[in-house]
Amino acid sequence: MEGIYVFLGFIVGFLVGLTGIGGGALMTPSLIFLGMTPLRAVGTDLLFVTATKVFGTAFHHKMGRIRYDIALRLIAGSLPAIAIGGLLLRVIDKNILNAHLTLLLGIVLLLSAVISLIKKEIKPPIRPRMSYLYILGFVVGLTVQFTSVGAGVIVSFTLINLARISPAEVVGISLFYGLLLSSMSFLNYALMGSVDYGIALTLILGSIFGVLAGTRISTRVESEKLKKMINLIIAAIGAIILLKHVL
C-alpha cells in the first residue's frame, strides 16, 4: 500500500511541477477514493501542501516575486476564518463532518476548475481596494479549512482579474499565502488527531521527485493545454463526488 502513496505523491508532484496547478485538488479526493475518511484526508493533504509549498516559496522569494504586503493582508483576513473553522471542527460531530465534507469538496473542486478554465476571459469592472484582500482571505481561509482546496485558484483568479497584478507576482503571492494558510489550518487537524503523518511523509517523498521531473520537462510541452486537461479532470472528479453524494 505504501507504494501506492509514493506513486500518488509522484504523479501529483509531477503535474504541479509541469503546470503549477492541481496539488490539493487532486490529492484530497485521491486519498478519499483510497479509503481515507474526508476529515483525515483534508488534514493529511494540508500537511502535504505545506511541505510542498516551502520549496516554491523559497524560489520565488529569491527571485523577488512575492508581494508580502498583499500576502500578509490575505492571511490577516484568514485568521478569523481559521479560528472559526477550528471551533466548528471541534463542536460538530465527526460523523456529520465526514458526511458533508465530501459535498463541500465536490462543490469547491467543480467551482475551482471552472474558475481556472475561464480565468483569462473575465475582466469585471470593479475598482480594486486593499480592504477587499481581507474579505478574500476570510472566504478562502474558510474554504481551505474544510477542503484543503482553493487557495491558489481563487486567489490567483481574483488578483489577476480584479487587482490587475502580474501573473508572475500572483504565483509568488499565492505560494507564500498558501504556505501560511495551509500550515495554520493543518494545526487544527493535528490537534484533532486527523492527520496520517506516515502517509503524508510518503506522499511528500514521492512528490519531490515528481516536482523535479515535471519542472525539467515543463519547457518542452504546451502547459496551457495540459492545464485545461487537468482542470477538466478536476471538474469531473468534483462532479463524480457530487453525484455520489446525491445518489
Side-chain angles (χ1 to χ4, degrees), residues 75-91:
I75 199 64
S78 295
L79 290 176
I82 294 170
I84 293 170
L87 179 63
L88 292 175
L89 286 169
R90 289 169 179 78
V91 171

Side-chain angles (χ1 to χ4, degrees), residues 119-136:
K119 66 181 179 181
K120 292 185 178 179
E121 300 175 13
I122 294 180
K123 296 292 180 182
I126 299 175
R127 188 174 181 179
R129 295 180 181 177
M130 281 292 188
S131 58
Y132 293 162
L133 293 172
Y134 299 104
I135 300 172
L136 175 62

Side-chain angles (χ1 to χ4, degrees), residues 80-121:
I82 294 170
I84 293 170
L87 179 63
L88 292 175
L89 286 169
R90 289 169 179 78
V91 171
I92 302 173
D93 184 82
K94 285 190 177 183
N95 292 325
I96 296 175
L97 283 171
N98 280 321
H100 291 85
L101 275 182
T102 50
L103 175 62
L104 181 59
L105 177 63
I107 293 171
V108 173
L109 286 174
L110 200 56
L111 181 61
S112 64
V114 171
I115 288 174
S116 292
L117 288 168
I118 65 175
K119 66 181 179 181
K120 292 185 178 179
E121 300 175 13

Side-chain angles (χ1 to χ4, degrees), residues 21 24 29 31-32 38-39 50 52 68 72 81 98 103 113 118 125 140-141 149 192 196 198 201 227 231-232 235:
I21 65 169
L31 292 174
I32 293 173
L39 268 176
T50 298
T52 52
Y68 289 100
L72 291 176
N98 280 321
L103 175 62
I118 65 175
V140 174
V149 178
M192 291 171 56
D196 193 312
L201 179 60
K227 285 181 181 180
N231 279 312
L232 287 172

